[in-house]
Amino acid sequence: MDISIFNVLGPVMIGPSSSHTAGAAKLSKAARAIVGKAFSRVSFGLHGSFAKTYKGHGTDVALVAGALGLKENDDRLERAFELADKSGLAYDFYEVELENMHENTVVMTFYMENGEKTEIIGASIGGGEILIKRIDGFDTELRMNSSTLLICQEDKVGIISEISRVLAKHQINIGVMTVNRSSKGGTAYCTIETDSYLTDEVVEALRKVPKIISVKAINVVMEDDEHV
């Protein structure tokens, strides 16, 4: 029988493995949302089990599908290579060894036409769940299951307090906040998972805080936003 591996399971997901297929698609779709701008190429560095079994489990196809904005249960997932080629999205895969990372980890590097690039490291941790571990060199622990703020700032006294004040003023409750910095007094990266939708008004208020470099809000990361 000629049966695609992507049609083994039911309508919840397309693919033979929640970790290697559904999780991979969800992971790269989340990364696409974090990038938040048009890109012309994405390179996938596969670690551990991803590197060993990615062709057999369709991880490569799922990652490209997510980069296109397709959800893990989209029946177009198995055509991701074809859709990427038609849309002009270039992609490639390579194997990489990472220290202290989950076996289903991928390094995703998104290249913009203006020469900028964003590198995101994430893992598919089982049952379709994902974890974003690093964004442009800054460590994170994002599950991307709730509205999320990504804030780049100068590492100065009082900025975190001011961020919290702005969110409290707008009735935004902080679920999880993590802060990492490049060096003392250098650049810091603050990630905040919240219980509320993040409006443009909130984002603009945060951008006005002195010493904040950039603010990005991600609402419902896995919403239908594909452009294929």
Side-chain angles (χ1 to χ4, degrees):
M1 292 186 297
D2 184 15
I3 300 176
S4 169
I5 60 173
F6 294 97
N7 296 321
V8 176
L9 298 186
V12 174
M13 55 171 270
I14 307 296
S17 168
S18 61
S19 296
H20 289 71
T21 313
K26 186 175 180 181
L27 188 57
S28 121
K29 190 172 189 295
R32 168 196 170 98
I34 291 171
V35 172
K37 59 179 71 174
F39 52 88
S40 57
R41 180 165 71 93
V42 58
S43 185
F44 299 100
L46 304 169
H47 165 77
S49 179
F50 266 5
K52 294 180 177 66
T53 65
Y54 72 95
K55 290 185 178 180
H57 281 161
T59 305
D60 50 355
V61 179
L63 287 169
V64 172
L68 289 170
L70 300 180
K71 295 185 71 172
E72 61 271 20
N73 61 351
D74 194 308
D75 59 9
R76 293 174 293 170
L77 188 147
E78 61 182 302
R79 297 172 47 227
F81 287 170
E82 173 193 344
L83 295 173
D85 293 342
K86 287 182 178 179
S87 69
L89 176 65
Y91 53 90
D92 63 87
F93 305 90
Y94 63 96
E95 296 185 13
V96 63
E97 297 232 355
L98 304 170
E99 292 186 5
N100 304 315
M101 288 289 181
H102 190 280
E103 63 177 356
N104 298 331
T105 296
V106 56
V107 182
M108 297 167 283
T109 308
F110 294 81
Y111 296 87
M112 275 57 79
E113 292 185 355
N114 64 0
E116 294 180 3
K117 67 177 182 179
T118 296
E119 182 183 276
I120 298 169
I121 299 178
S124 175
I125 58 177
E129 292 297 308
I130 63 170
L131 191 63
I132 300 297
K133 295 290 294 181
R134 194 170 296 160
I135 303 173
D136 284 335
F138 290 94
D139 292 333
T140 64
E141 289 289 331
L142 294 174
R143 292 183 178 269
M144 308 304 286
N145 288 327
S146 60
S147 294
T148 302
L149 280 166
L150 307 175
I151 302 174
C152 184
Q153 68 208 55
E154 294 182 24
D155 182 34
K156 303 296 182 183
V157 174
I159 297 181
I160 297 301
S161 295
E162 186 63 15
I163 290 172
S164 298
R165 185 194 67 78
V166 170
L167 294 180
K169 180 180 178 180
H170 288 84
Q171 299 296 303
I172 302 293
N173 187 49
I174 296 173
V176 179
M177 175 189 286
T178 61
V179 181
N180 289 281
R181 61 186 182 181
S182 57
S183 61
K184 184 177 180 180
T187 302
Y189 204 83
C190 178
T191 58
I192 304 173
E193 296 178 75
T194 74
D195 296 334
S196 307
Y197 185 89
L198 298 164
T199 64
D200 291 341
E201 182 182 5
V202 172
V203 173
E204 288 305 313
L206 288 168
R207 285 175 176 161
K208 292 178 181 177
V209 174
K211 309 301 183 183
I212 282 185
I213 299 169
S214 66
V215 180
K216 181 181 295 182
I218 303 173
N219 288 301
V220 194
V221 170
M222 308 319 290
E223 64 187 354
D224 293 326
D225 65 346
E226 65 267 15
H227 298 284
V228 295

